[in-house]
């Protein structure tokens, strides 16, 4: 199985820090976040990895290179204009190939056992979900008999972790240009019952704000 790390975004909520360093290059426990992520994937047996680049992407490429010193092979999908999460994946599909691939947001810190995903071959996608954390106002999904659902009420108690296995066929009806993968594809696929999922209760942080960054650094110091 191949993997893709979404690393192109600007990290607006972490400005001014991310004005000079891309979010995946933030230091956690003495090393760049993306380096930790590449090591997680390597431990799961995933060695073919695509990383998309836009905002300050040269810093990522300089640190990671071809990934050889981390035991992986990294290829880059460089975006002249920011394509958002969905458009970024579409642009990288020629590098990912026709088989299901693991998709990982570049701002995630977790102890999730990625080896659990490597044998999956979903028809559309398989999402890793977690109970809504206190800093999130609303949840997006529910899990019913292994299927991801959206009820639009208080029965939706789970959020997407930014970890998934995606079948490229999910993008057959994708819009052109930049688009958000959750809003454009995951939500509809969940409504249609085409997404499987699982609930994760381990360590998980979405490093989208200074508060979350501080929390991860306290945990890892």
């Amino acid at each position: 199985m191949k993997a893709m790390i979404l690393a192109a975004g600007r990290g607006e909520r972490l400005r001014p820090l991310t004005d000079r360093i891309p979010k995946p290059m933030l230091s956690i426990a003495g090393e760049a976040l993306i380096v930790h992520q590449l090591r997680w994937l390597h431990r799961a047996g995933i060695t073919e990895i695509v990383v998309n680049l836009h905002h300050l992407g040269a810093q990522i490429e300089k640190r990671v290179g071809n990934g050889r010193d981390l035991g992986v092979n990294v290829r880059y999908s460089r975006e002249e204009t920011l394509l958002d999460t969905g458009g970024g994946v579409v642009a990288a599909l020629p590098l990912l190939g026709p088989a299901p691939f693991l998709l990982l947001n570049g701002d995630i810190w977790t102890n999730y056992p990625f080896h659990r995903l490597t044998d999956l071959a979903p028809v559309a996608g398989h999402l890793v979900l977690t109970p809504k954390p206190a800093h999130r106002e609303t949840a997006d999904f529910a899990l019913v008999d292994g299927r991801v659902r959206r009820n639009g009420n208080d029965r939706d108690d789970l959020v997407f972790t930014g970890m998934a296995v995606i079948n490229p066929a999910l993008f057959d009806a994708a819009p052109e240009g930049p688009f958000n993968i959750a809003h454009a594809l995951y939500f509809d696929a969940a409504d249609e019952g085409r997404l499987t999922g699982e609930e994760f209760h381990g360590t998980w942080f979405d490093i989208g704000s200074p508060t979350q960054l501080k929390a991860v650094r306290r945990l890892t110091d």
Side-chain angles (χ1 to χ4, degrees):
M1 174 179 282
K2 292 183 179 181
M4 179 175 181
I5 298 176
L6 294 169
R10 297 189 61 86
E12 295 287 354
R13 290 181 294 161
L14 281 164
R15 295 182 67 185
L17 181 60
T18 49
D19 286 339
R20 62 182 186 274
I21 183 170
K23 192 160 48 170
M25 284 295 294
L26 293 172
S27 180
I28 307 291
E31 187 58 274
L33 173 58
I34 193 169
V35 171
H36 289 288
Q37 294 186 328
L38 291 168
R39 287 175 175 154
W40 300 340
L41 296 174
H42 177 262
R43 286 197 293 269
I46 299 173
T47 58
E48 296 293 322
I49 301 164
V50 176
V51 177
N52 68 332
L53 301 176
H54 177 70
H55 176 61
L56 301 175
Q59 293 185 31
I60 296 173
E61 193 166 359
K62 181 178 179 180
R63 172 59 188 92
V64 173
N66 61 14
R68 187 174 303 168
D69 64 335
L70 298 168
V72 295
N73 179 44
V74 175
R75 302 175 71 186
Y76 296 100
S77 178
R78 300 171 184 86
E79 301 175 12
E80 292 186 8
T81 59
L82 189 61
L83 296 173
D84 207 336
T85 52
V89 175
V90 170
L93 285 177
L95 299 176
L96 291 164
F101 58 91
L102 192 154
L103 186 61
L104 174 63
N105 286 0
D107 57 1
I108 298 302
W109 179 266
T110 186
N111 64 355
Y112 180 84
F114 286 94
H115 64 85
R116 293 201 327 213
L117 300 176
T118 56
D119 291 329
L120 296 182
V123 173
H126 178 90
L127 307 188
V128 180
L129 309 174
T130 198
K132 184 186 78 66
H135 68 275
R136 293 279 292 269
E137 292 185 5
T138 60
D140 296 316
F141 298 106
L143 196 58
V144 181
D145 297 328
R147 294 282 175 179
V148 178
R149 301 292 188 185
R150 295 182 69 238
N151 299 307
N153 54 40
D154 57 8
R155 288 182 294 168
D156 290 339
D157 58 350
L158 303 173
V159 297
F160 176 49
T161 62
M163 301 180 285
V165 175
I166 302 299
N167 190 317
L170 179 66
F171 291 88
D172 287 349
E176 295 184 2
F179 69 93
N180 181 288
I181 190 173
H183 296 165
L185 296 180
Y186 293 166
F187 287 175
D188 285 347
D191 290 340
E192 296 163 2
R194 295 192 294 122
L195 294 180
T196 58
E198 62 185 86
E199 189 170 343
F200 176 60
H201 291 269
T203 300
W204 174 79
F205 290 89
D206 173 5
I207 308 175
S209 70
T211 299
Q212 293 302 299
L213 177 59
K214 290 177 182 177
V216 171
R217 285 176 169 170
R218 283 196 302 267
L219 180 69
T220 56
D221 281 345

